[in-house]
Amino acid sequence: METNRRKFITTAIAGGIGAALPLSASGSTFSNKGQEALKPDYSELDKILKQPVFKKEFFSSPVIIESLELLRYGNSFLCRVKSKDGEEGISVGHSGQLRSQYPIFTNLLKPFFINKDARDLDLLIEKVYIYKLNFRLSGMALGVPLATIEFAILDMMGRIAGKTMGQLIGDIHNPDVAVYQATEYREKPVAESLELIKRDVAEYNAKALKIKVGGLMFGTEDLNAVGPAGRTEEIIPLVRKTFGDQMILYADSNGFYSVKEAVRVGKLLEEYHFEFFEEPVPFDWYEETRQVAEALKIPVAGGEQEYSLHGFRWLIANDGLQIVQPDCFYFGGMIRAMRVALMANAFGKSCTPHMTGGDMGFLYMMHFVSALPNALHYHEFKGFKTDIIYECKTSPLKSINGVVRVPTSPGSGIDIDPEYIRKFEIVRG
């Protein structure tokens, strides 16, 4: 697929944000000299990776981290950070992951941050990967506990500066976030799946919807183990017919297909006017992802499982992805995820973060999206379900006609009930 045409498609979906660069620009995807093979130009991306994200200029004096605690009550986790000046921040951890990952928090991350200046958050997030050889861990194992710490520090720093999390990592471009309803149900028969999808869309009045196609990782065709054979071919046209031409539709295969099968399914998605195809092949098959993207008109999206900044760098520079989807929890926080978004923006590509389900993932997703200069129009949403007892004074944190208002109070924008916090105990060991 011709590079300029693919960039035009991506830019159009982004609503004109982050216009595509011409091939002659310094940030162009490829340079071509005579008969030489096309070579990616990483220079613009490398400049972005060196630039700070956290707005240190908001703070005139050091903010030294005195304590960092992981708290647990049942299956819920909180992270509480305190400065030597008595300032405090708190975040809600990913309960599904921290139940097994808490030793990484307590033994491999927490000691590094003690007595550090929180104003150096960019550098701290980078250096913690070297501390105790943490770089040998990858993906969610390191990303989730690190993000939990970063969110708490951002909450503290936002309260000190009177800024939201989004204002600490960028300018506010999106005070409201339009959501797409992310659905699962790939293991169920089509008729049952469709009723559940209709229920989910109606509950939040979403104007965009993502469905699952294929199976789940490392297959090449629909298998009876994940539903009836031919399920994908049946549900794609049926969903379009059910919701009509006004509904924005996306599809996710969770890395299920081979290149050949991904192209076949991608063309079916094109026929029914779906607007992105997420993880058509396994996430770490970079060359294969690019091959699928070249063969299709529908934009290819990905990044939920990606754990490397240089992995995203390759996918962006080599035109493997037109839409990047870092998960702020899985990827180790908003600062690292923003670096991915800014690299994509430099190449005229869009960002819509993956949103982990449960807990308060929706809150951190919204703050991140609020600061995106190249946000896709709709963003992943899996509901407001949480066990955390909190108050938000500047947003109802509800979907109103498919749109959620981002909190504007300092830090995370929510206050967790102090009586509820007292039920938590410090996690040790």
Side-chain angles (χ1 to χ4, degrees):
M1 182 184 300
E2 184 182 350
T3 302
N4 276 347
R5 179 170 62 83
R6 289 172 54 203
K7 285 186 176 180
F8 174 79
I9 293 171
T10 303
T11 305
I13 290 178
I17 298 175
L21 299 173
L23 290 180
S24 60
S26 62
S28 63
T29 307
F30 293 103
S31 60
N32 188 11
K33 298 180 180 179
Q35 300 301 315
E36 293 181 8
L38 293 176
K39 297 180 180 179
D41 181 357
Y42 294 106
S43 59
E44 189 72 16
L45 303 186
D46 290 338
K47 290 178 184 177
I48 290 169
L49 290 174
K50 293 178 181 178
Q51 294 171 357
V53 171
F54 181 72
K55 293 187 176 181
K56 184 176 180 177
E57 62 269 20
F58 288 145
F59 308 92
S60 59
S61 57
V63 182
I64 305 302
I65 297 171
E66 182 175 57
S67 65
L68 187 61
E69 299 170 321
L70 185 64
L71 311 174
R72 182 172 186 173
Y73 173 61
N75 287 325
S76 296
F77 289 85
L78 300 176
C79 174
R80 182 167 57 199
V81 60
K82 293 183 179 179
S83 75
K84 290 189 175 182
D85 293 329
E87 305 291 347
E88 182 176 317
I90 198 161
S91 70
V92 180
H94 190 301
S95 62
Q97 298 299 323
L98 285 175
R99 273 175 277 178
S100 58
Q101 295 168 349
Y102 69 86
I104 295 174
F105 181 108
T106 56
N107 298 317
L108 301 179
L109 297 178
K110 172 183 173 179
F112 172 81
F113 285 91
I114 301 302
N115 293 321
K116 299 294 196 304
D117 188 346
R119 297 180 304 168
D120 297 327
L121 192 53
D122 279 290
L123 186 59
L124 297 179
I125 295 296
E126 182 178 344
K127 282 193 170 184
V128 75
Y129 276 78
I130 302 172
Y131 179 74
K132 292 192 176 182
L133 304 181
N134 281 329
F135 57 81
R136 289 178 172 170
L137 299 171
S138 60
M140 291 189 289
L142 187 63
V144 169
L146 178 57
T148 304
I149 292 171
E150 188 214 65
F151 297 162
I153 294 174
L154 287 175
D155 182 52
M156 177 178 70
M157 300 302 273
R159 291 173 188 272
I160 293 171
K163 304 292 183 182
T164 66
M165 286 180 159
Q167 289 173 316
L168 293 178
I169 61 170
D171 298 323
I172 300 302
H173 299 277
N174 310 293
D176 298 289
V177 176
V179 298
Y180 71 76
Q181 188 64 44
T183 62
E184 303 293 334
Y185 315 129
R186 62 159 42 98
E187 77 285 356
K188 298 181 182 297
V190 170
E192 184 180 355
S193 296
L194 188 62
E195 290 306 309
L196 292 169
I197 291 170
K198 288 163 63 176
R199 178 203 65 185
D200 293 348
V201 169
E203 182 176 0
Y204 298 106
N205 198 19
K207 304 300 188 294
L209 164 68
K210 185 172 77 176
I211 66 167
K212 299 291 189 180
V213 296
L216 181 64
M217 291 293 289
F218 304 118
T220 59
E221 55 185 283
D222 284 352
L223 304 175
N224 288 326
V226 294
R231 182 182 186 283
T232 290
E233 290 74 11
E234 182 180 356
I235 199 167
I236 289 172
L238 184 58
V239 166
R240 174 55 75 195
K241 180 180 178 181
T242 300
F243 291 100
D245 292 339
Q246 298 306 309
M247 178 67 79
I248 302 298
L249 295 179
Y250 309 125
D252 180 7
S253 82
N254 289 107
F256 183 66
Y257 294 112
S258 65
V259 171
K260 180 180 178 181
E261 282 293 294
V263 171
R264 180 185 69 81
V265 173
K267 290 186 180 298
L268 185 61
L269 294 171
E270 290 174 353
E271 181 180 349
Y272 289 94
H273 309 294
F274 280 63
E275 298 199 11
F276 72 60
F277 188 5
E278 181 176 342
E279 281 191 355
V281 296
F283 76 94
D284 54 354
W285 291 17
Y286 295 166
E287 287 285 356
E288 291 84 351
T289 299
R290 181 182 58 79
Q291 291 168 18
V292 174
E294 287 183 340
L296 296 174
K297 296 178 182 178
I298 184 173
V300 170
E304 167 189 353
Q305 315 294 345
E306 182 56 56
Y307 55 84
S308 165
L309 281 165
H310 265 55
F312 274 115
R313 175 179 175 268
W314 191 97
L315 288 163
I316 292 167
N318 289 277
D319 225 18
L321 296 177
Q322 289 76 57
I323 301 168
V324 296
Q325 298 174 298
D327 184 298
C328 289
F329 258 120
Y330 298 170
F331 198 59
M334 296 188 197
I335 288 175
R336 299 185 81 238
M338 183 58 74
R339 294 190 191 282
V340 173
L342 294 176
M343 285 194 291
N345 190 48
F347 277 34
K349 300 175 186 292
S350 303
C351 179
T352 180
H354 176 263
M355 194 207 91
T356 183
D359 304 304
M360 299 292 288
F362 61 87
L363 176 68
Y364 302 120
M365 177 275 289
M366 289 190 298
H367 278 297
F368 178 67
V369 170
S370 74
L372 284 179
N374 56 333
L376 202 68
H377 189 65
Y378 296 97
H379 299 275
E380 186 160 30
F381 179 70
K382 298 176 180 175
F384 295 105
K385 183 179 179 181
T386 181
D387 293 328
I388 305 301
I389 301 174
Y390 68 92
E391 179 184 18
C392 183
K393 298 177 181 178
T394 55
S395 169
L397 287 180
K398 294 180 180 179
S399 174
I400 301 174
N401 292 321
V403 177
V404 184
R405 167 70 61 169
V406 181
T408 56
S409 300
S412 68
I414 68 167
D415 295 302
I416 300 175
D417 182 358
E419 291 299 319
Y420 176 67
I421 294 176
R422 290 191 184 97
K423 296 180 180 181
F424 285 70
E425 295 181 354
I426 297 175
V427 177
R428 305 184 189 277

